[in-house]
Amino acid sequence: MTGQTTKLYKEYLIEEFGVTEEPFYVPIGDEIELFEAAYAQKLPVLFKGPTGCGKTRFIEYMAWRLRHSSARVAGDGDGLLDNRLALITIACHEDLTSSDLVGRYLLEHDSTRWIDGPLTRAVKVGAICYLDEIVEARKDTTVLIHPLTDHRRILPIEKQGILLQAHEDFLLVISYNPGYQSALKDLKQSTRQRFVSIEFDYPPRELEAKIVEHESGVDADAAMALAKVGEKVRNLRDHGLQEGASTRLLIYAGKLIAQGISPRRACQVAVTWAVTDDHQVHRSIEEVVSSIFPA
Amino acid sequence: MGLSDEIVGAAQEELRKYPSSVGEEFQRAVRMMEETVPPAQLEEWVKEGLSLTRLTVRSWEAASEFFRVSPTVVRGRSYTTFQEWTRWGNVLCQDSPTMAVAYFRASPGVVDEIDAEHIPTWASVGRGLYKGTWKSTALAGRFFEASPGLLRSLSFQELLRFTKIIDMLSHRSYDLAVECIGLARDTFPRLSGDRDAFISLLSALGEGNWRQVKGAFEVGSRALQKVERVQGPRFLRLAQKVAQADTADLPAFLTEASDALGELDRHTHATVLGMAEVLVDLAPGTVVEFIKSCPIVLRRINDQQLALWFREGIRLLRETEDGGMAYFKVESAHSEEMLDLISSGVELDRVKDILRLYCLALAGIEMDIAVTQELVGKDIGWVSKAHATTEGTTVFLPPVVDQYPTKEENFTWYKVVSTHQVAHLEFGSFDFRFDRPATLFEDLRLSLAPVERKPKGPGAAAGNGSQATKDQQAWITDVSHFFDLFEDRKLILDIFTVVEDARLDYLVKADYPGIRDSYRKVQQGALKARPSVEGLPAREALMEFLVQWSLGAEEGLMVPQEYAEEVRALARIASTLLAPRARVEDTAEAALRIYEVLSRIPNREADDWEEVEAGGEDAEGAEPPKEMNESGAGASPPEAQPRDEQAYRSPQDVDYRGDFKPELTQLLAQLRMLQEQANLPGAAPPQGLGKEQLEELLARSAELEIPTADGQIPMGAGLFANNLLREAGVSNPQSPDYPSHLFVHSDEEHGALEVTEPQTYLYDEWDFRAGDYKPRWCMVREKALPEGEVTFYQTTLQNYAGLISRVQRQFELVLPEAFRKIKRLPDGEEFDLDAVIEAIVDRRVGSSPSDKLYWRRNKVIRDVAVVFLLDMSASTAEAIEDHRRRAEDWDAPEDPGEYMVWLRARRAQGLRRSYKRIIDVEKESTVLLIRALETIGDTYGIYGFSGYGRENVEFFVIKDILEPFGERIMRRIDKIAPLHATRMGPAIRHATRKLARLDAKTKILFLISDGRPQDRGYSREGVEKEYAVHDTKMAMAEARRMDITPFCLTVDRSGHDYLKTMMSDMGYEVLDDITQLPERLPYLYRKLTV
């Protein structure tokens, strides 16, 4: 035995992580053009849409795409390695404080050391900062991003007593799901009116089938059937379901099917039980599934 | 032979002292006696007669009767018997001549019926009834008098037993005993084989239940007629055992049990009685309930399954009697579950929600599921109760399916049927657009002109030609437009229906592979039920062929030989339609082509039949015959009608496809749409919403089966038109805004309720003795409280100005508590300097420092939703002073009629009052509370509740939870008034339901009452007040299970005793001084929510 240990995982600095492989993304409308235009003008963007419909995948795809096109423009093959257009994703939660975004002092030996928060890093290196599910964050935290989103593009760091002017490539993108948040968690007007909004919804049946087929590796028929399940279950939104079955869930079901699980069972665990705990609704969805998939 | 004249003369001489009738009777009798009786004995007879006459003052009457019947009695009997008979007459006469008269008079009838040796017994038994009083004489007399009649249906032994019963009764009441003899004479002949058992039953009633004997006679024969004949004695033995349990009411048992049995199939009586016999040994009280439930239960399960259900009941009964009782009454949830588990049938009620969501998922639009009866009840044209159907927004299904041996299969039937019905929506059956091109056929319909047709009747729209048609244009749906192209609307509708159903079946099977097999099975089932094609008149035969082909019949279909070519054409056209792209317009085109073929075929008997292969035809050459393009479908006049042609009759319905009425459905949709437009603010009233045009249109439709008598405009058309308009919401019925006090009373004894109106909700009720819920027991009717004046609100604000500002200040203080700096956290906004210093110190001294070094401003968002439930029972009308004095009790009469009188009196008292009532204090407190709640910004709802009986729990909205506060609410507060009783359970459950829908961290249910819960029937067997308390407690517990904090505040000072049970570990407070309420209420609320 050598004393060497092999790392089984990869470690990145936050701002070093970029999307290197082209993510699979099927556009539903003109969202790619819209986003590119917004990026060119550095307009902050808001994604609205139900869970699992492809918001995160889209931002990954755009990060990759923009990074490539800018690299091509620069004509510099190695440009891919710098930190420009990294994608920094922050999942928001209700305890997210401003220090979590901006940074904080840590105790180190007998002194303190400042470390930047992810937002600060993105501002410094010119990354795309993606705040996922922004409404989950506390309202006082949300206010923090306001100066970054208008013409000023600055981030004040009170505790250090500095103002950061954002890197020219920096872009703020936020997302939220208007569906299930209660009135209490609505996005404030002063916040929402700082963004260009792109709405997402589940793709139409044919497109969704294509996506499911690609992502899960099931055959076209099964993918089509899964897409049909998705469509039918979504009809139940607001009638016992808060949200319809997401494309993500359909892909999960597809993956299980690809692994040899029977389609009915796969839909049961990946779709039916995932979307709700209501027993009656379970039964109804199962009936739909059993109509679509033969035993 | 002959008696010496001397003796006769002496006797006559003596008898002359008495009324002449005696002598006359004697003379007549002597002559007859001489023929049969030897002189020696005759002489003795004369002596006996004379001594009888002399016996007492009035005994001559008996003697007269004695002489009269003697010749009859003596005939054919030994003289000793006769002597014995005479002797007994003498004995009876010594007691009472009246009795003897009756004895003698009845004798001829009796001696024929009984053996000679029984005569003395009979006499002595009758004499036994005589107790020396006048009344007993009458009774004994009545007994002798009735004896011949009784003996015609009873054996002598039975008569003796019956007499014992009479004797027993006479100890209590002679009148009753006399009456019973009369009843018995009428009843026994009707009982035939059951007499013996019936007498045993009566004897078993015994001394204790003597009053019921008469009742038993009264209902007995009627009851036994309802019971299977051979089971009669068994039934009576059962009744006897029930009767021996002293609480039972025998006549009631006989009536109720036999009524229930009467509803059953006679062959099940043995089974049911067998079970009842088991039950009677365990718990006699439950027997009647069990039998009464049988008709209901046996509607859902068969008699073998009944045994399973019964066994479970017995098990439960051994645990607790009340539980078993509720079980056998089918008034417990467990009982229903059990039934459901056992039965193979599926009730729509049980699966309605599942199917509703299923249909909704498939169709993608709001769907409802209802029982077919409901649509039929609307009287808008659908008449079939057995067939599933849809009218565009609701799928109607039959209430129960029990065609298959297992539940799954029955449920699958429902599923298949709903899938087919929803397919109408999913694949756009009703979405027919006349001018949208078809995908598979050439669009011929566009080139056809509508057929000129005469109105069905000479009545309504006959005269005013073009104007009327113009008006109708606005009305004509695309489907009508299409149908108008054809001469024979009925034929085209039938074709369109079959073809469209075939298209849907195809698409469903293609799109839903999972249901394919079950679908086929249902189709095959439907196919089996079809009549044979062979033998039908030609046109109907081809139509039937089409139906069976559409159901997937593949071989063995017979068709008339001469039309084999046409059949192949039909199959070709129809098969073309079966493609994934097929739209409803294609159906129309196919129908049009088929019509062309069928309308040319005369509807007469065909001679030769041949078999055709229906399936597998290649879909080529689906073009219609050439000539059609020129002539138009409708223009083809039936060629010279042969004499043997029969009127065309529509094929019989396919049950799973149901009533397809595209024209009506489109019409209804159109009406609804027009109405919606009209309802938009500022919209002009819709044009042409006239009833006449609608009637005219309906009269033409082939979808309505209105009896058209004598070519008149059908009677029904106007009615249908009205109902259709109502269904579409055109006429707005006046909504009564003050809660009506017209109570509906359902049978208190039996059964779950059903929701019949909007804004009514059903809730279970907890039966603590049975330990189970009574399913769907209470009906809550929600209504907004009417609005009164604002003055009350304003006056209260003025009167309590001081208190209000105090309360408001307290509430304002609650808010800042929300922003508290929390220290010593492992993570947070910034270092907590104190903690950091401590940590460094710790480290310096070598102990391990805490890692809780941060502080954070914790923003606690106040997220409270609360519902206040105000007791609006009649008792709140009491003056505060009164209230202090007396322990409150609900003394309202049970009878609804009396109750209304009582209530009016009580109200009238209230009007004259000048004192302050409990309800006034409640109202004032509400005002204060609203002020406080508005300050703090919590979500709140205020409701009042009252009611009378389980079917009338009234739930008044004073402020709905999400309704913003405003003047209307101030006005409603003014109208809070004492009403009826307090059935707390359902009110709490309804409030819980409202709260549960909200998304709030803290949910509170605040109940303000003035006494224990009580209502008509809100108790077990009418007495146990505990029942109400326990139900309320259970309702509270249910609320708590949904994360709602219940709290009860009562102003009933004696409240401690029951509140301890009712609220057990939940919060409550008893307010000693009701005047404290306005102050106390906001205080408690504040405490509760912090």
Side-chain angles (χ1 to χ4, degrees):
Chain A
M1 279 274 142
T2 64
Q4 235 179 348
T5 52
T6 341
K7 277 188 182 171
L8 293 175
Y9 56 90
K10 292 180 191 162
E11 195 176 273
Y12 297 97
L13 282 178
I14 288 177
E15 62 272 25
E16 275 175 0
F17 179 76
V19 187
T20 49
E21 299 281 318
E22 177 178 358
F24 175 79
Y25 184 79
V26 183
I28 301 174
D30 57 353
E31 66 267 26
I32 294 181
E33 294 86 79
L34 280 176
F35 191 87
E36 279 178 338
Y39 183 73
Q41 290 294 322
K42 300 294 177 294
L43 296 177
V45 182
L46 159 67
F47 295 164
K48 270 198 246 184
T51 177
C53 70
K55 300 189 293 284
T56 306
R57 177 58 68 88
F58 178 65
I59 190 67
E60 282 179 4
Y61 174 74
M62 288 315 294
W64 176 86
R65 188 180 160 105
L66 290 170
R67 189 168 179 164
H68 269 258
S69 61
S70 71
R72 265 200 304 282
V73 170
D76 173 10
D78 297 335
L80 286 183
L81 293 178
D82 71 23
N83 297 332
R84 294 193 328 152
L85 282 171
L87 176 62
I88 295 177
T89 305
I90 301 161
C92 299
H93 52 84
E94 52 189 13
D95 275 349
L96 191 82
T97 59
S98 49
S99 342
D100 292 332
L101 289 175
V102 176
R104 58 160 56 89
Y105 284 106
L106 290 182
L107 277 184
E108 203 172 70
H109 305 298
D110 286 348
S111 62
T112 55
R113 183 171 69 91
W114 173 262
I115 60 154
D116 284 337
L119 181 61
T120 313
R121 291 209 193 186
V123 168
K124 281 181 179 168
V125 301
I128 294 177
C129 182
Y130 179 51
L131 294 171
D132 204 358
E133 302 290 3
I134 183 76
V135 280
E136 291 292 338
R138 290 155 50 149
K139 280 182 186 139
D140 51 333
T141 314
T142 334
V143 179
L144 187 83
I145 61 174
H146 285 187
L148 268 176
T149 51
D150 52 27
H151 62 279
R152 293 172 287 174
R153 288 170 63 81
I154 51 170
L155 177 65
I157 304 179
E158 253 177 89
K159 290 172 195 162
Q160 284 187 303
I162 56 170
L163 273 184
L164 274 183
Q165 178 76 50
H167 187 286
E168 58 165 344
D169 288 341
F170 170 79
L171 184 73
L172 189 64
V173 179
I174 62 176
S175 81
Y176 94 111
N177 177 352
Y180 60 77
Q181 272 90 10
S182 68
L184 275 173
K185 286 189 174 169
D186 203 7
L187 205 52
K188 276 203 290 196
Q189 283 297 321
S190 59
T191 307
R192 66 160 66 208
Q193 293 205 6
R194 289 166 184 273
F195 292 84
V196 174
S197 294
I198 301 180
E199 277 219 46
F200 285 76
D201 206 344
Y202 300 115
R205 203 198 277 186
E206 284 73 20
L207 273 186
E208 189 161 37
K210 222 167 95 186
I211 297 168
V212 172
E213 187 185 345
H214 177 275
E215 291 284 299
S216 64
V218 287
D219 61 40
D221 285 346
M224 195 64 191
L226 281 171
K228 204 188 293 172
V229 169
E231 185 186 298
K232 300 300 179 199
V233 173
R234 277 166 214 154
N235 283 335
L236 294 179
R237 216 186 294 182
D238 297 332
H239 297 277
L241 282 191
Q242 284 180 328
E243 288 269 304
S246 63
T247 310
R248 181 166 45 220
L249 285 181
L250 298 180
I251 293 170
Y252 286 176
K255 286 183 171 174
L256 292 175
I257 295 171
Q259 287 295 317
I261 305 286
S262 84
R264 285 189 179 181
R265 182 73 177 144
C267 285
Q268 188 177 42
V269 298
V271 180
T272 314
W273 290 354
V275 290
T276 178
D277 294 326
D278 185 323
H279 195 70
Q280 286 244 305
V281 185
H282 277 176
R283 268 296 298 275
S284 299
I285 299 178
E286 266 166 29
E287 294 306 334
V288 172
V289 169
S290 69
S291 284
I292 291 175
F293 287 105
Chain B
M1 281 209 295
L3 200 58
S4 68
D5 290 345
E6 189 187 333
I7 299 176
V8 174
Q12 268 172 340
E13 186 56 39
E14 183 170 357
L15 290 175
R16 215 159 280 144
K17 289 187 272 178
Y18 302 97
S20 59
S21 63
V22 189
E24 287 158 19
E25 287 293 353
F26 172 73
Q27 247 171 350
R28 201 175 307 140
V30 167
R31 244 173 282 126
M32 292 164 75
M33 290 291 280
E34 278 171 347
E35 291 166 21
T36 44
V37 183
Q41 291 168 0
L42 195 60
E43 197 182 326
E44 201 179 318
W45 169 73
V46 173
K47 268 191 212 147
E48 280 290 344
L50 288 178
S51 81
L52 196 62
T53 321
R54 285 184 221 109
L55 209 57
T56 64
V57 192
R58 311 245 329 152
S59 62
W60 60 269
E61 287 170 11
S64 159
E65 206 54 46
F66 169 73
F67 292 135
R68 190 176 68 80
V69 299
S70 287
T72 330
V73 174
V74 79
R75 198 172 301 134
R77 279 179 192 77
S78 70
Y79 192 75
T80 16
T81 310
F82 183 72
Q83 269 183 319
E84 191 68 358
W85 173 76
T86 315
R87 198 179 63 74
W88 271 104
N90 201 305
V91 171
L92 290 173
C93 196
Q94 284 170 21
D95 289 341
S96 152
T98 329
M99 188 161 67
V101 170
Y103 167 75
F104 288 128
R105 198 175 284 159
S107 291
V110 171
V111 290
D112 285 349
E113 302 286 342
I114 60 179
D115 296 339
E117 69 264 28
H118 287 148
I119 294 174
T121 326
W122 171 62
S124 72
V125 160
R127 184 176 176 241
L129 292 174
Y130 171 76
K131 303 286 187 315
T133 62
W134 175 80
K135 279 199 168 180
S136 69
T137 319
L139 175 67
R142 180 88 182 114
F143 166 77
F144 287 122
E145 199 182 301
S147 289
L150 286 169
L151 281 167
R152 268 195 290 280
S153 45
L154 296 181
S155 73
F156 187 69
Q157 288 311 315
E158 284 165 350
L159 180 72
L160 292 185
R161 288 170 60 207
F162 172 67
T163 317
K164 264 191 207 137
I165 296 169
I166 294 299
D167 189 35
M168 181 270 291
L169 284 181
S170 71
H171 294 314
R172 303 288 178 168
S173 155
Y174 281 104
D175 291 342
L176 187 68
V178 167
E179 217 175 325
C180 281
I181 292 177
L183 285 167
R185 204 176 42 185
D186 297 340
T187 306
F188 280 124
R190 283 189 242 136
L191 294 182
S192 61
D194 307 327
R195 283 185 303 260
D196 188 52
F198 194 73
I199 295 171
S200 308
L201 170 64
L202 296 180
S203 339
L205 278 175
E207 297 268 321
N209 293 318
W210 58 277
R211 280 175 213 277
Q212 296 181 5
V213 174
K214 183 184 164 199
F217 271 118
E218 280 165 346
V219 299
S221 67
R222 203 180 59 86
L224 280 164
Q225 273 160 21
K226 296 192 178 161
V227 182
E228 166 70 8
R229 245 172 50 83
V230 294
Q231 302 295 342
R234 199 165 168 197
F235 176 68
L236 289 173
R237 278 197 297 279
L238 181 72
Q240 184 180 335
K241 283 191 176 173
V242 172
Q244 274 156 354
D246 51 6
T247 51
D249 176 5
L250 182 72
F253 174 84
L254 288 176
T255 317
E256 289 175 1
S258 67
D259 281 351
L261 286 171
E263 284 180 49
L264 297 175
D265 268 345
R266 295 209 158 223
H267 72 266
T268 55
H269 286 189
T271 321
V272 171
L273 288 175
M275 290 173 188
E277 280 160 8
V278 176
L279 203 56
V280 80
D281 294 330
L282 282 170
T286 52
V287 172
V288 67
E289 299 301 342
F290 165 71
I291 296 179
K292 270 156 71 184
S293 297
C294 278
I296 307 162
V297 171
L298 282 172
R299 236 171 278 152
R300 296 176 54 180
I301 57 181
N302 62 31
D303 38 344
Q304 280 108 50
Q305 291 163 335
L306 182 66
L308 283 175
W309 181 75
F310 178 74
R311 205 178 306 150
E312 175 65 15
I314 292 290
R315 191 189 64 75
L316 214 62
L317 195 66
R318 291 212 167 99
E319 276 173 25
T320 79
E321 178 148 341
D322 290 312
M325 180 70 120
Y327 181 93
F328 282 120
K329 277 184 175 174
V330 202
E331 274 176 13
S332 76
H334 181 66
S335 180
E336 291 222 340
E337 278 161 23
M338 202 56 206
L339 271 181
D340 196 44
L341 195 74
I342 294 167
S343 77
S344 58
V346 177
E347 278 172 89
L348 184 58
D349 241 20
R350 305 240 147 199
V351 295
K352 200 167 150 184
D353 289 333
I354 294 168
L355 287 174
R356 189 176 61 81
L357 287 180
Y358 174 76
C359 292
L360 174 68
L362 293 194
I365 57 166
E366 184 87 42
M367 295 294 300
D368 213 349
I369 301 279
V371 185
T372 36
Q373 270 88 335
E374 279 180 33
L375 184 62
V376 175
K378 283 177 181 172
D379 236 344
I380 53 173
W382 277 268
V383 288
S384 164
K385 284 188 184 171
H387 293 152
T389 192
T390 177
E391 40 75 284
T393 53
T394 308
V395 172
F396 293 89
L397 296 169
V400 183
V401 176
D402 203 358
Q403 302 184 354
Y404 302 97
T406 69
K407 256 197 165 52
E408 289 79 68
E409 286 169 293
N410 284 317
F411 176 76
T412 308
W413 188 88
Y414 264 136
K415 191 176 155 185
V416 166
V417 175
S418 335
T419 311
H420 181 87
Q421 294 303 331
V422 172
H424 280 303
L425 300 165
E426 196 181 0
F427 301 113
S429 288
F430 306 120
D431 194 26
F432 176 75
R433 292 277 161 271
F434 189 77
D435 40 15
R436 186 163 54 201
T439 58
L440 303 165
F441 292 91
E442 196 185 320
D443 292 296
L444 291 178
R445 64 183 186 284
L446 299 175
S447 57
L448 296 176
V451 176
E452 284 296 320
R453 68 183 71 233
K454 291 170 280 200
K456 266 189 191 169
N464 42 352
S466 62
Q467 186 52 46
T469 15
K470 219 172 198 174
D471 282 348
Q472 282 165 26
Q473 292 307 323
W475 278 101
I476 288 180
T477 58
D478 285 78
V479 178
S480 318
H481 191 175
F482 175 69
F483 286 171
D484 277 346
L485 300 179
F486 303 91
E487 179 74 31
D488 188 343
R489 261 175 157 268
K490 191 165 151 190
L491 182 61
I492 186 66
L493 172 68
D494 288 344
I495 299 173
F496 188 81
T497 306
V498 177
V499 178
E500 176 66 3
D501 281 330
R503 180 181 78 99
L504 296 181
D505 285 354
Y506 171 81
L507 289 176
V508 167
K509 283 192 278 182
D511 251 38
Y512 297 100
I515 206 176
R516 210 178 281 157
D517 290 342
S518 333
Y519 210 96
R520 278 213 195 95
K521 198 161 137 196
V522 172
Q523 280 191 320
Q524 272 153 16
L527 201 55
K528 279 203 199 96
R530 300 306 301 176
S532 153
V533 179
E534 199 174 341
L536 288 173
R539 193 189 290 174
E540 286 171 34
L542 263 62
M543 195 68 210
E544 184 60 34
F545 161 78
L546 210 56
V547 173
Q548 301 198 7
W549 165 83
S550 77
L551 286 171
E554 297 203 334
E555 51 204 22
L557 281 180
M558 300 298 286
V559 295
Q561 208 169 37
E562 58 179 307
Y563 301 115
E565 190 46 48
E566 278 83 353
V567 168
R568 270 185 277 279
L570 289 187
R572 247 195 327 273
I573 299 168
S575 328
T576 311
L577 189 66
L578 304 189
R581 281 180 304 142
R583 287 216 298 249
V584 63
E585 286 80 15
D586 292 297
T587 304
E589 287 298 326
L592 185 149
R593 285 160 174 79
I594 292 171
Y595 178 89
E596 176 56 26
V597 176
L598 283 186
S599 63
R600 283 168 191 282
I601 296 177
N603 196 32
R604 65 171 164 234
E605 304 283 348
D607 304 322
D608 300 309
W609 296 79
E610 69 169 35
E611 198 169 312
V612 292
E613 292 250 331
E617 287 273 0
D618 272 323
E620 43 182 281
E623 280 311 297
K626 273 282 163 291
E627 61 267 45
M628 171 155 189
N629 291 340
E630 289 125 43
S631 67
S636 62
E639 309 116 35
Q641 263 200 359
R643 220 164 285 133
D644 56 352
E645 184 159 344
Q646 304 175 3
Y648 165 78
R649 279 171 309 157
S650 299
Q652 112 199 11
D653 283 339
V654 179
D655 63 350
Y656 79 94
R657 288 175 176 171
D659 264 358
F660 177 50
K661 297 193 190 294
E663 201 175 354
L664 268 181
T665 308
Q666 273 204 345
L667 186 65
L668 199 56
Q670 206 156 318
L671 281 172
R672 281 182 180 144
M673 209 171 66
L674 276 171
Q675 189 53 30
E676 264 164 40
Q677 283 165 5
N679 284 343
L680 290 179
Q687 295 296 310
L689 264 177
K691 200 180 134 208
E692 292 78 20
Q693 290 95 318
L694 190 57
E695 272 176 38
E696 161 65 14
L697 197 78
L698 289 173
R700 272 194 298 134
S701 172
E703 291 174 8
L704 287 180
E705 286 162 32
I706 311 170
T708 44
D710 312 326
Q712 290 290 318
I713 274 276
M715 295 293 293
L719 178 70
F720 283 130
N722 269 340
N723 293 343
L724 264 177
L725 287 173
R726 181 171 341 117
E727 181 59 21
V730 173
S731 53
N732 283 325
Q734 285 286 311
S735 52
D737 73 342
Y738 200 83
S740 80
H741 292 307
L742 286 173
F743 292 122
V744 188
H745 288 288
S746 67
D747 180 6
E748 188 65 36
E749 281 296 306
H750 244 285
L753 299 167
E754 263 176 52
V755 170
T756 47
E757 297 159 44
Q759 295 286 54
T760 52
Y761 307 83
L762 292 182
Y763 293 96
D764 297 353
E765 189 165 283
W766 178 253
D767 181 345
F768 79 112
R769 286 280 178 219
D772 200 345
Y773 285 99
K774 290 179 170 174
R776 299 183 299 288
W777 198 251
C778 298
M779 188 180 286
V780 171
R781 299 163 193 266
E782 183 178 326
K783 31 202 158 186
L785 206 64
E787 290 165 29
E789 295 301 317
V790 197
T791 34
F792 176 82
Y793 185 83
Q794 287 160 347
T795 327
T796 312
L797 284 192
Q798 281 162 15
N799 292 348
Y800 285 88
L803 181 59
I804 284 174
S805 67
R806 207 160 67 233
V807 168
Q808 221 162 340
R809 206 164 42 243
Q810 283 165 348
F811 271 71
E812 277 160 4
L813 283 176
V814 174
L815 275 178
E817 288 169 14
F819 297 93
R820 226 179 255 155
K821 197 167 169 183
I822 300 178
K823 294 184 171 188
R824 298 189 188 274
L825 294 172
D827 195 7
E829 284 170 45
E830 245 176 285
F831 283 124
D832 176 356
L833 268 185
D834 296 341
V836 169
I837 292 166
E838 265 174 45
I840 291 173
V841 171
D842 280 348
R843 225 169 52 191
R844 291 268 163 87
V845 298
S847 65
S848 72
S850 158
D851 60 348
K852 293 179 178 166
L853 305 177
Y854 294 88
W855 64 261
R856 177 164 49 183
R857 221 180 284 283
N858 212 19
K859 191 175 168 193
V860 182
I861 302 162
R862 190 179 163 89
D863 190 8
V864 180
V866 60
V867 161
F868 288 91
L869 267 182
L870 293 186
D871 181 351
M872 283 167 63
S873 62
S875 51
T876 53
E878 280 177 25
I880 296 175
E881 304 307 318
D882 283 0
H883 181 76
R884 288 183 179 168
R885 253 191 288 117
R886 64 183 272 272
E888 182 272 339
D889 205 358
W890 166 254
D891 52 353
E894 285 283 309
D895 176 73
E898 283 173 37
Y899 172 71
M900 294 314 284
V901 176
W902 174 85
L903 188 70
R904 226 168 288 139
R906 199 167 166 140
R907 290 248 170 90
Q909 262 176 15
L911 286 180
R912 280 181 261 111
R913 80 201 151 83
S914 55
Y915 47 83
K916 204 170 196 174
R917 303 167 302 172
I918 297 177
I919 195 89
D920 297 323
V921 186
E922 276 188 16
K923 278 163 80 174
E924 286 167 356
S925 312
T926 313
V927 174
L928 256 74
L929 200 63
I930 287 180
R931 287 292 291 209
L933 288 164
E934 287 294 326
T935 310
I936 204 165
D938 289 349
T939 317
Y940 67 100
I942 302 175
Y943 304 91
F945 68 96
S946 174
Y948 181 56
R950 66 186 176 101
E951 58 289 87
N952 297 298
V953 181
E954 296 164 298
F955 194 85
F956 298 103
V957 178
I958 299 161
K959 178 189 171 298
D960 215 353
I961 291 191
L962 294 175
E963 193 180 0
F965 176 71
E967 201 184 294
R968 304 186 59 170
I969 287 154
M970 299 182 202
R971 289 178 185 279
R972 283 189 204 142
I973 291 172
D974 187 37
K975 283 285 177 181
I976 300 176
L979 292 168
H980 313 278
T982 30
R983 206 181 192 96
M984 285 183 186
I988 293 171
R989 288 185 180 99
H990 192 61
T992 307
R993 179 193 190 127
K994 284 182 170 287
L995 267 175
R997 277 200 301 238
L998 288 185
D999 181 23
K1001 270 190 194 143
T1002 314
K1003 298 181 194 177
I1004 293 169
L1005 197 160
F1006 206 117
L1007 176 70
I1008 300 162
S1009 89
D1010 75 327
R1012 57 163 66 237
Q1014 44 204 344
D1015 187 12
R1016 175 172 152 269
Y1018 202 22
S1019 54
R1020 237 192 117 82
E1021 315 303 335
V1023 282
E1024 245 175 292
K1025 288 179 173 176
E1026 290 303 291
Y1027 178 88
V1029 169
H1030 280 272
D1031 177 52
T1032 311
K1033 176 183 177 181
M1034 197 42 112
M1036 297 275 191
E1038 286 160 28
R1040 209 164 53 160
R1041 242 176 280 150
M1042 323 247 330
D1043 273 337
I1044 294 167
T1045 315
F1047 188 87
C1048 178
L1049 176 63
T1050 182
V1051 293
D1052 176 9
R1053 272 194 297 174
S1054 60
H1056 279 292
D1057 58 342
Y1058 63 87
L1059 274 172
K1060 226 178 281 164
T1061 324
M1062 197 166 94
M1063 300 304 291
S1064 62
D1065 54 341
M1066 292 169 267
Y1068 71 92
E1069 180 165 306
V1070 176
L1071 208 56
D1072 281 338
D1073 181 4
I1074 182 170
T1075 51
Q1076 286 175 356
L1077 187 66
E1079 193 172 352
R1080 192 69 185 160
L1081 191 55
Y1083 172 81
L1084 280 172
Y1085 177 69
R1086 200 159 51 85
K1087 285 285 168 207
L1088 216 56
T1089 56
V1090 170

